[in-house]
Amino acid sequence: MVDEDLELERDLGEATIVYEEPDEGTVRKTVPNEHIAYFQDHWIIKTDEDEEGHDIVRRIPSRRVHYVERSVEQFEEEVETLIDRVQSFASELGTKIPVGGGGKEREPVEPHRIDVEREDGDEQ
C-alpha cells in the first residue's frame, strides 16, 4: 500500500458544466474533472462530502445541460478513454445478455391449435 503523503497528485484538469436549475435559472459550475461524470443520460457532479466522508452527488438530466467544457492534457487521450469505457461497457453487457449465435440451436415450436365452437354448434 502506498502512503498517501508520498502519492504524487496529477492535475486532471477542470470541467465546467452549464445547466438549468428550476429555482436558480442557468447555473455555471466548475469542478475538478474527477468530480464529474456522464452516466445513464445524466451528468453526475460531486458537490460535497458528508460527515462520514461519503460523496454527495447531484444528478442532472442531460436535457437540462447546455454544455460541458473540460480541460484535458491531450484530446486524443480523452477520446481513447471514452472509447475504452464504451468497449468495456459493451463487453460487460455482452456477458450479461446472451446475444445470438454460438448457442444451442432451438427446435422450432409448433403452434398449438384450439378448436372453438360457434353458438350454432359448428366448429370453426
Side-chain angles (χ1 to χ4, degrees), residues 19-39:
Y19 62 97
E20 289 299 319
E21 191 62 48
D23 299 332
E24 302 173 38
T26 302
V27 175
R28 179 184 183 95
K29 182 172 261 191
T30 301
V31 297
N33 260 333
E34 62 268 24
H35 291 180
I36 188 169
Y38 186 79
F39 182 67

Side-chain angles (χ1 to χ4, degrees), residues 10-117:
R10 182 175 166 208
D11 182 14
L12 298 177
E14 292 182 328
T16 299
I17 183 169
V18 178
Y19 62 97
E20 289 299 319
E21 191 62 48
D23 299 332
E24 302 173 38
T26 302
V27 175
R28 179 184 183 95
K29 182 172 261 191
T30 301
V31 297
N33 260 333
E34 62 268 24
H35 291 180
I36 188 169
Y38 186 79
F39 182 67
Q40 294 179 337
D41 207 25
H42 285 73
W43 282 94
I44 302 168
I45 304 172
K46 177 182 174 184
T47 57
D48 206 352
E49 288 184 7
D50 64 13
E51 301 82 32
E52 297 172 2
H54 299 117
D55 292 341
I56 298 173
V57 298
R58 175 172 289 175
R59 290 175 47 98
I60 305 167
S62 62
R63 68 181 176 279
R64 289 189 6 217
V65 175
H66 295 288
Y67 64 88
V68 175
E69 287 182 347
R70 287 185 151 173
S71 63
V72 292
E73 286 185 18
Q74 290 185 340
F75 184 71
E76 293 84 10
E77 287 180 18
E78 182 75 2
V79 172
E80 285 177 18
T81 300
L82 291 172
I83 291 170
D84 289 345
R85 287 182 183 171
V86 169
Q87 288 174 341
S88 174
F89 177 73
S91 174
E92 184 178 316
L93 188 60
T95 62
K96 292 181 179 179
I97 301 173
V99 180
K104 288 184 178 180
E105 292 292 321
R106 291 181 137 184
E107 292 183 27
V109 177
E110 293 295 323
H112 185 70
R113 181 179 166 88
I114 301 174
D115 293 323
V116 178
E117 287 188 27

Side-chain angles (χ1 to χ4, degrees), residues 116-124:
V116 178
E117 287 188 27
R118 292 182 172 173
E119 288 184 26
D120 59 8
D122 290 338
E123 286 189 11
Q124 191 174 14

Side-chain angles (χ1 to χ4, degrees), residues 1-9:
M1 184 171 158
V2 177
D3 185 4
E4 287 183 26
D5 294 334
L6 298 177
E7 264 186 48
L8 297 175
E9 283 195 32

